[in-house]
Amino acid sequence: MMSFGELLCQYTQELAQRWYERWRREGPASPALTEAALKDHLPVQLRVIGEALRVAPAFRESPRELWRQHERLDPEQRVIDAVLIEEVVREYGFLVEEVRAWLEERGEQVSFADYSYFYLAIFELTAESIRRYSKFREERVAQERSEYVAGIAHQLRTPVSALHLSVQQLGRVQGTPEARVLERLRRTVGRLGRLVDGILRLERFKPEELPIHPEMIAPAQVLEQIVADYEHDARSKGLRLELSAPRSARMWADRDLLVDALGNLIQNAIKYTARGFVRISLEEQADAVRFRVEDSGPGISPERQRELFRPVHPGQPGGVGLGLSIAFRAALAQGGALSLESTPGRGSTFLLRLPWRVHAREGLPAAEAESLPGV
């Protein structure tokens, strides 16, 4: 008669297949991810327990110590694959139930001590998975928070440097400062303020929770103001900054969020374009206004494009840079969309599409909205 340890070692694949069939019947939340993360490791883990059980009780490795060796357990891959730890715990429970049912069906008699060791080994396997999962996730969050803060500092560096330069120029001027110096200073302070406001909105609200305060605006004028803010940056790189927008167009939108979106798109286009142009245009459609920010930069690979519009939060893996994240959320919050057309080596075109009439959220009386003329 075979011992419990010998049964586990000899029938590893049969038990793993039995668990797999149970797993499929129960309907996992993430089938492909869970299969990759658990199915490949389960036979190894069963054999580890089986080999331990084949040793005399007095010389067996403790159930907790079984999982100290990295190759026997790989919970980090589950974090990378976004498998919820709750699902991992549930599936180890399936394993205990299936092994017990398998023993009963075969009429196998195992000692209480052996079965208790097996049960504790699975319990410790689950606990170690949770410990490693939590530690790995904590490290990932700390790293991503650091990168996020570094991204904010990088975004702030440019307007702060421009502000410092303007202040130095003011210090050299005797008498009344030149109007152009004061205007540049005003634009830089406004740009810095909008960036800080955008970051705060990103931190505090989900897109569907962002307060929306629409007003009747001329989008061409908004674009002209943003372009004026970035003309110096474009000119310093030798880029043509081109704008084409009908001045007669009127829309009902949140000015701050529109500036968040367009300002970051234009800034990114200038930042990543070494030579050529950045072209901004506005297209009037039947049910929406479409803004185009086109550049002659290096383009974006298909692999990167697939990640580009994943909403991100500090501590969450993947997604886009800070500027595009702000633009993406500003578009979603107003019931719009942000998309991309790009071919590596042939530039990129970001398309911001917003409805003619963005609906208010928190703060605009319904009667006031109803009294406005249609678009």
Side-chain angles (χ1 to χ4, degrees), residues 64 67 96 118-128 131:
R64 173 172 291 189
W67 313 117
V96 171
F118 166 76
Y119 188 89
L120 283 172
I122 296 297
F123 176 85
E124 290 295 346
L125 171 58
T126 306
E128 183 66 13
R131 281 191 291 270

Side-chain angles (χ1 to χ4, degrees), residues 300-314:
I300 301 171
S301 69
E303 294 76 20
R304 179 61 176 150
Q305 289 183 45
R306 283 193 288 270
E307 300 177 354
L308 209 54
F309 295 118
R310 286 174 57 190
V312 297
H313 310 278

Side-chain angles (χ1 to χ4, degrees), residues 157-342:
R157 185 180 293 120
T158 299
V160 168
S161 297
L163 187 60
H164 179 67
L165 178 62
S166 297
V167 170
Q168 284 184 324
Q169 289 178 332
L170 281 177
R172 300 191 195 105
V173 174
Q174 295 182 357
T176 304
E178 294 182 24
R180 63 182 181 82
V181 175
L182 289 175
E183 177 60 19
R184 183 187 301 169
L185 183 59
R186 183 197 64 76
R187 288 201 307 267
T188 301
V189 170
R191 180 173 162 186
L192 185 59
R194 288 193 297 273
L195 178 58
V196 171
D197 288 342
I199 292 170
L200 290 175
R201 282 191 284 268
L202 181 68
E203 282 280 291
R204 294 174 59 193
F205 300 103
K206 298 177 181 178
E208 65 273 14
E209 296 172 348
L210 270 169
I212 308 296
H213 304 292
E215 58 182 292
M216 186 65 73
I217 61 175
Q221 292 180 1
V222 174
L223 284 171
E224 287 169 358
Q225 291 168 1
I226 298 172
V227 167
D229 285 345
Y230 291 101
E231 266 183 333
H232 176 75
D233 296 349
R235 191 165 52 249
S236 66
K237 297 182 71 174
L239 299 177
R240 300 192 311 276
L241 191 55
E242 304 171 3
L243 173 61
S244 173
R247 299 183 62 84
S248 61
R250 296 291 183 273
M251 67 183 299
W252 182 244
D254 187 303
R255 180 184 295 270
D256 291 336
L257 292 178
L258 182 60
V259 171
D260 276 354
L262 292 171
N264 279 289
L265 292 178
I266 294 170
Q267 182 183 29
N268 271 8
I270 295 171
K271 177 181 177 181
Y272 292 108
T273 303
R275 58 182 178 275
F277 65 87
V278 172
R279 186 177 296 139
I280 306 103
S281 60
L282 182 154
E283 179 185 350
E284 300 176 80
Q285 299 180 328
D287 58 345
V289 183
R290 190 168 76 162
F291 301 88
R292 294 171 61 92
V293 179
E294 181 182 2
D295 65 61
S296 57
I300 301 171
S301 69
E303 294 76 20
R304 179 61 176 150
Q305 289 183 45
R306 283 193 288 270
E307 300 177 354
L308 209 54
F309 295 118
R310 286 174 57 190
V312 297
H313 310 278
Q316 176 182 320
V320 303
L322 184 64
L324 277 182
S325 184
I326 291 173
F328 179 75
R329 289 162 66 93
L332 287 187
Q334 297 184 90
L338 184 60
S339 60
L340 167 66
E341 297 173 355
S342 183

Side-chain angles (χ1 to χ4, degrees), residues 46-57:
L46 283 172
R47 287 194 191 96
V48 168
I49 299 172
E51 292 294 344
L53 282 168
R54 294 172 70 174
V55 177

Side-chain angles (χ1 to χ4, degrees), residues 81-93:
D81 289 339
V83 178
L84 294 176
I85 193 63
E86 293 93 333
E87 191 168 334
V88 175
V89 171
R90 184 185 72 146
E91 289 164 6
Y92 280 133

